[in-house]
Each structure stands twice: as C-alpha cells, then as structure tokens.
C-alpha cells in the first residue's frame, strides 16, 4: 500500500463523519439477511462494521444481545454483566440497544456511572479486570462482560465484543453459537427479541451504575512498580487519542504521585484532532507513526511518552532515544525486562506471542531459558494460559500485551494498554534507560531484524480462499534465496489453525492471513538479513497469495 501524501498531517474537514447521520443510519437501516456481508460476524475481536453500509445497526446489536442472553441462561451465568463503551459515535447507541434487550431478558447489567471524570466510558482492560476481581474466589453466580468498541478502527465504525467469566475475549466456540443465533433472529425480523424502552430499563432492577475506574487504578500497584516510577521523578506525557481512558490518567497521577501530562484531553466522536494514517484515513492506531505524529513531535519534552487507542487495549511507546517504538520491539524489551525483574514469578512461566510477532522474541526467550507458547492471531488464544498463571506475559504484534501481577497471580485476561505504558516508565525508572535503548542492546546481541506488514483489499470470497489454504500451497523448496525450514498452517503453541500460512527460513519468514475485522488480507514478513531480503520475502508472498485467491 502506497503512502498517502497527507499521511501524518491534520484531518481534512471533508473526511470528518456526520455523527447525526451515522446514528440515524444505526437506528433506521436494517440488514438484508440474504447478504453475507451484512450478517453478524465475530472476527478476532468481536463483531465490527458501520451503520453507513448496514453492517453495524440496532438490529445487529439487538439480535446479538438476545443471543447472548440465551447463551448466558444455557450456561447458567447468573452474576452481573459489566458493560463498557469507548468514544466512537456508534458506541453510545449500541449501549442503549444492549441495555434495552438485556434488561428485558432479566440480565443484571452494570454500567460505568457518568458523573465523574470517566465520563461514562470504560476501557477494555478495566472490564476484564473488573470481571477477574469479581469472580475471584467464587464458585457460582459468576460475572461476565461486554465491551462496545471497534478498537482503533475509523470514527464511522462500531464494535461489540463479549468477555465470558474468564474475563478475556470469547473463543470461537462461544462466538459461533452467538453469531448463528443472532443471524437466525435477524432472518426472522427480530420478532423473538425481547426489549424494554430505555426509560423503563434504566428504572428497572436489572440496570445499575457503578464506578469501575477507581478500583482499577487502586490495583495498578499490584502489577506495576508504581513506587519506583514515583521515586524516579519522571516527566511523562500521554495522548489518549480521545479514547475511553482519557479521564483515568489524572487520577493515576494523583493516586501514585506521578508527573503525567495529558497533551490532548479532547473527546470528539469525529476524532477531528487526529493526524491521518499511512493511507490518509483517520484511524486511532497508537502504533502508527503517522497517527501518532502529534505526540512524536513532543517527545523531547518528556522523559517518556505514550498513546493508546480508543478502548485502551493497545499501546504506543515514544522514547527520546528514537521516537515511536515498533510494537514488536517493545514486546521484546518488555519480555526481557519482566522475566528478570519479577522475583516472585515461578521459573516455569512461559512467554506467549502470536505467530506473526517478531522472531526477536524467540531469540530473547531462548536466551533466558524460557518456553515459548506461539499462538494464532487473536488474544482469545492466551486467555487460558493467563487464567491459569502459566503465561507470565502475552503479546501480539499489533501493540497489544498483558502480564501477570507482581506476585504471579492473574491481573486480567485481555490486552491492557495502561499497564504496558506504565511498564515502560518502570523500565526507565529501574534501569535508567528507556525501552528504545534496551532494544538497541538486544539488536547488538541478537541481530537487527526488518519487519513489515502489508495490507491488501480483499473480498469475502478472497478472504475465505486464503483462510482455507493448507501447507500444500507451498511447493517451492526455497524462499528469497534460502532453503525453507518450516511451513505452518497451525500454531505450535496449541495446534490451532492460523487461518493462513507461515513459511520460514533460517533468517526470515512471511505469513499470510485474512483480517478478522476488515475487508483486507495481511502479509507479515521479517528478515534478519536486511531490507532487500525483506522485500524479496514480501514479493514472493504476494505472488503466492495472488495464485490462491484468483
């Protein structure tokens, strides 16, 4: 994908969404049950779409919530259901739909109260942590949760994901049940969806408000050495990118005595303050140097700075030593630091990574004598290992990560952008070097890989062809001038299908898979032999995919 000439520049007036029109479309448009593109579809992070093309509407969310209520009853999940929402324009309407349907099904819904600095928004990791805290020690009446967010997707998008009582993203077995039932309900015109009007629902015994924010903040010292950060007197900066955690940082700073400056406190469903991403679109991707250009320009004003996406499950670390870190680089640094600075962690703890994350992680893990658990893309694959405290850390190449509490107990089972950012401050406070400097030390020891992801537009049919391929599609014995050492269609960590293929050589690899949330397919590639070798890997990968989907 060619770099857009306006990448990194301010948003253009004409690309800002019409919020009133989008919300009207959400409540007015009805999906066509005969069109697969308009069906409920749970990808790697729940159901996503936009009202503008009838892929995320009131009818979708009502059907999903009815299906979820029926699933909870079948599974005898009788505790409260915590609901969080981010700052996308469609999140509030979807919250209303969820409250109306779930309360009519006698589900006890708990939402964030809006009369404090949270403004009624709740980050993904806070919902996960709240579920974990509530269920710890219980034997029945377990809680679960919903997060209404399309993550870093453009302002016009909406998203809805379910977190069962384990606190993390629902696995494919669960989402398939909900998806099939929701689509059956839509096909019947949602006539079997129970619903109350909002005023009646809010006055019922089934809807209550609570404050998830302060309990989460008070627990942060259990997972990050907040005293070390405070003692170091670091000057820290953050750009919440208008996300759900925008009101959290001031309380974190006050609670732990930290010097944190929020450089952009705005919440705007148009996200008009954003810089344009590499393709010229507005996308709140804290791992993109183009979207994060505003904070990067301020890097020299802080000892360390960071940003987060709208639901705060991702992180972007900005260091004075080198600007915005590549997510893969920071994951390697975080792993190298944590497994040497958590004395209460057992030596048996494994390291979790996705199959398309950097092989630098493999080299770091091997040097520490730890075991690697390599999984398919999707954080749901890490939930069990985090719940059982078998994984000390789990991370993915798209700037998502989480780790155990300092005593080795489970913190949460979904990505947590807060603690990944605060860990960067801990690393600087404890070692005197920022994460960028630590990564440079790793490259001196293990080599400096070149990594790139290429996104290509794809239809549903093309994505289906790509996800169905097996190892037999690779007939060559060499790749980019090196002998092929491995062809994988299943992840070694759990033998689950990766929905694509990964081909490896001694000094490089590529992986190709369809996106679970967007109409694109992705090619990932990495080389320890330099940029030219990397481009050769990508070229051969593109040729292979072209043959498969033609």
């Amino acid at each position: 994908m060619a770099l857009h000439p306006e990448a990194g520049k301010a948003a253009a007036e004409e690309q800002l969404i019409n919020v009133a029109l989008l919300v009207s479309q959400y409540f007015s448009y009805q999906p066509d049950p005969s069109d697969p593109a308009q069906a409920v579809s749970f990808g790697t992070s729940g159901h996503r779409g936009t009202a503008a093309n009838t892929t995320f509407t009131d009818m979708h969310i009502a059907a999903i919530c009815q299906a979820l209520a029926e699933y909870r009853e079948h599974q005898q999940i009788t505790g409260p259901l915590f609901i969080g929402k981010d700052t996308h324009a469609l999140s509030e309407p979807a919250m209303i739909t969820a409250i109306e349907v779930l309360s009519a099904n006698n589900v006890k819904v708990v939402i964030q109260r809006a009369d404090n600095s949270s403004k009624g928004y709740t980050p993904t990791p806070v919902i996960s942590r709240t579920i974990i805290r509530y269920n710890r020690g219980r034997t029945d009446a377990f809680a679960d949760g919903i997060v209404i967010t399309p993550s870093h997707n453009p302002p016009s998008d909406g998203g809805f994901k379910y977190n069962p009582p384990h606190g993390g993203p629902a696995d494919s077995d669960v989402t398939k049940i909900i998806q099939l039932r929701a689509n059956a309900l839509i096909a019947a015109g949602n006539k079997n969806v129970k619903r109350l009007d909002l005023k009646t629902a809010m006055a019922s015994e089934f809807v209550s408000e609570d404050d998830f924010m302060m309990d989460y903040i008070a627990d942060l010292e259990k997972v990050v050495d907040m005293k070390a950060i405070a003692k170091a007197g670091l000057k820290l900066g953050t750009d919440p990118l208008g996300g759900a955690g925008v009101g959290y940082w001031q309380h974190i700073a006050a609670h732990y005595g930290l010097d944190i400056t929020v450089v952009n406190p705005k919440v705007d469903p148009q996200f008009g303050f954003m810089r344009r991403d590499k393709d010229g679109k507005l996308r709140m991707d804290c791992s993109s140097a183009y979207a994060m250009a505003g904070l990067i320009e301020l890097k020299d004003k802080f000892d360390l700075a960071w940003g987060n996406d709208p639901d705060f499950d991702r992180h972007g670390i900005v260091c004075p030593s080198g600007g915005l870190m590549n997510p893969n680089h920071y994951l390697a640094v975080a792993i190298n630091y944590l497994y040497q600075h958590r004395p209460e962690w057992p030596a048996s703890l494994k390291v979790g990574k996705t199959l398309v994350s950097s092989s630098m992680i493999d080299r770091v893990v091997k040097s520490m004598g730890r075991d690697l658990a390599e999984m398919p893309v999707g954080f749901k694959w890490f939930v069990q290992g985090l719940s059982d405290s078998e994984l000390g850390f789990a991370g993915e190449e798209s700037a998502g990560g989480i780790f155990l509490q300092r005593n080795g107990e489970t913190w949460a089972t979904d990505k947590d952008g807060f603690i990944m950012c605060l860990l960067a401050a801990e690393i600087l406070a404890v070692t005197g070097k920022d994460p960028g400097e630590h990564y440079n030390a790793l490259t001196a020891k293990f080599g400096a890989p070149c990594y790139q992801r290429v996104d290509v537009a794809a239809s549903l049919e093309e994505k289906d062809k790509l996800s169905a391929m097996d190892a037999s599609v690779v007939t060559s014995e060499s790749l980019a001038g090196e002998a092929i050492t491995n062809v994988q269609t299943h992840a070694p960590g759990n033998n689950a299908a990766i929905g694509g293929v990964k081909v490896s050589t001694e000094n490089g690899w590529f992986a190709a898979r369809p996106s679970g949330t967007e109409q694109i397919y992705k090619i990932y590639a990495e080389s320890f032999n330099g940029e030219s070798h990397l481009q050769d890997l990508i070229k051969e990968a593109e040729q292979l995919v072209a043959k498969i989907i033609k």
Side-chain angles (χ1 to χ4, degrees), residues 241-323:
L241 301 184
V246 65
Y248 278 62
W249 289 116
Q250 60 180 303
H251 291 289
I252 292 173
H255 189 89
Y256 294 104
L258 307 182
D259 180 0
I260 301 178
T261 298
V262 179
V263 302
N264 172 26
K266 294 180 181 178
V267 173
D268 170 16
Q270 290 184 309
F271 292 91
F273 49 76
M274 283 297 301
R275 301 293 183 92
R276 299 169 72 165
D277 205 354
K278 59 186 177 182
D279 57 1
K281 295 182 180 180
L282 295 188
R283 188 181 290 107
M284 291 66 72
D285 184 355
C286 53
S287 66
S288 166
Y290 304 101
M292 288 275 282
L295 184 60
I296 295 170
E297 290 167 4
L298 301 176
K299 70 180 179 64
D300 294 332
K301 293 186 176 182
F302 303 104
D303 296 314
L304 194 69
W306 53 68
N308 299 96
D309 64 334
D311 72 319
F312 269 63
D313 68 347
R314 299 176 185 232
H315 59 272
I317 308 301
V318 180
C319 301
S321 65

Side-chain angles (χ1 to χ4, degrees), residues 271-544:
F271 292 91
F273 49 76
M274 283 297 301
R275 301 293 183 92
R276 299 169 72 165
D277 205 354
K278 59 186 177 182
D279 57 1
K281 295 182 180 180
L282 295 188
R283 188 181 290 107
M284 291 66 72
D285 184 355
C286 53
S287 66
S288 166
Y290 304 101
M292 288 275 282
L295 184 60
I296 295 170
E297 290 167 4
L298 301 176
K299 70 180 179 64
D300 294 332
K301 293 186 176 182
F302 303 104
D303 296 314
L304 194 69
W306 53 68
N308 299 96
D309 64 334
D311 72 319
F312 269 63
D313 68 347
R314 299 176 185 232
H315 59 272
I317 308 301
V318 180
C319 301
S321 65
L324 180 68
M325 291 191 72
N326 179 298
N328 276 302
H329 298 179
Y330 181 55
L331 294 184
V333 169
I335 291 165
N336 190 60
Y337 174 86
L338 282 167
Y339 284 78
Q340 298 181 67
H341 290 83
R342 291 295 185 266
E344 293 185 60
W345 282 12
S348 60
L349 285 180
K350 298 178 181 179
V351 177
K353 61 162 278 198
T354 53
L355 200 78
V356 295
S357 298
S358 174
S359 293
M360 172 65 87
I361 294 172
D362 303 47
R363 299 184 181 196
V364 168
V365 172
K366 184 177 180 180
S367 73
M368 295 189 296
R370 298 280 182 161
D371 290 329
L372 187 68
E374 199 169 28
M375 304 291 189
V377 173
F379 224 74
K380 61 189 177 185
W381 302 108
F382 298 121
V383 170
Q384 194 63 50
L386 292 165
S387 297
D388 297 339
S389 291
E390 293 179 353
L391 297 175
F393 177 94
E396 60 183 11
E397 77 298 331
S398 56
I402 194 170
F403 46 96
L404 298 180
Q405 293 182 179
R406 294 160 70 187
N407 65 0
E409 292 182 358
T410 303
W411 167 253
T413 49
D414 213 334
K415 295 172 286 189
D416 191 328
F418 284 109
I419 67 169
M420 290 298 290
C421 292
L422 290 168
L423 176 66
E426 179 189 328
I427 291 171
L428 176 56
V430 171
T431 68
K433 296 180 180 179
D434 71 39
E437 293 173 297
H438 280 278
Y439 185 73
N440 290 337
L442 292 179
T443 62
K445 184 176 181 180
F446 300 113
C450 299
Y451 182 101
Q452 186 176 345
R453 192 186 89 186
V454 178
D455 297 345
V456 182
S459 66
L460 282 173
E461 182 182 4
E462 289 171 334
K463 289 171 61 177
D464 288 343
K465 288 181 179 179
L466 186 57
S467 64
M469 66 182 173
D470 58 31
S472 66
V473 300
V474 181
T475 57
S476 174
E477 295 183 354
S478 64
L479 173 67
E482 290 191 319
I484 292 174
T485 57
N486 202 4
V487 178
Q488 298 168 287
T489 56
H490 290 71
N494 59 358
N495 201 37
I498 64 176
V501 65
K502 181 177 181 179
V503 183
S504 303
T505 67
E506 181 181 357
N507 294 294
W509 58 269
F510 82 81
R513 55 173 292 274
S515 170
T517 57
E518 298 179 82
Q519 292 301 96
I520 59 174
Y521 70 81
K522 305 178 183 182
I523 291 176
Y524 311 78
E526 183 176 45
S527 171
F528 278 82
N529 281 349
E531 183 64 29
S532 178
H533 184 236
L534 174 68
Q535 295 308 315
D536 288 342
L537 290 168
I538 293 172
K539 181 180 179 180
E540 293 192 25
E542 289 176 333
Q543 292 171 347
L544 173 65

Side-chain angles (χ1 to χ4, degrees), residues 184-267:
L185 288 165
I186 291 173
N190 271 10
K191 65 181 181 181
N192 291 318
V193 174
K194 299 177 183 178
R195 192 158 186 170
L196 298 174
D197 66 86
L198 182 63
K199 188 175 182 180
T200 301
M202 293 301 294
S204 75
E205 63 180 296
F206 297 107
V207 182
S208 61
E209 297 183 350
D210 201 354
D211 182 21
F212 308 140
M213 179 175 67
M214 296 311 293
D215 285 342
Y216 174 87
I217 291 172
D219 278 350
L220 282 171
E221 62 184 354
K222 296 180 179 179
V223 67
V224 177
D225 191 345
M226 304 299 283
K227 289 182 179 178
I229 301 172
K231 185 179 179 181
L234 301 177
K235 186 173 179 59
L236 306 169
T238 180
D239 187 346
L241 301 184
V246 65
Y248 278 62
W249 289 116
Q250 60 180 303
H251 291 289
I252 292 173
H255 189 89
Y256 294 104
L258 307 182
D259 180 0
I260 301 178
T261 298
V262 179
V263 302
N264 172 26
K266 294 180 181 178
V267 173

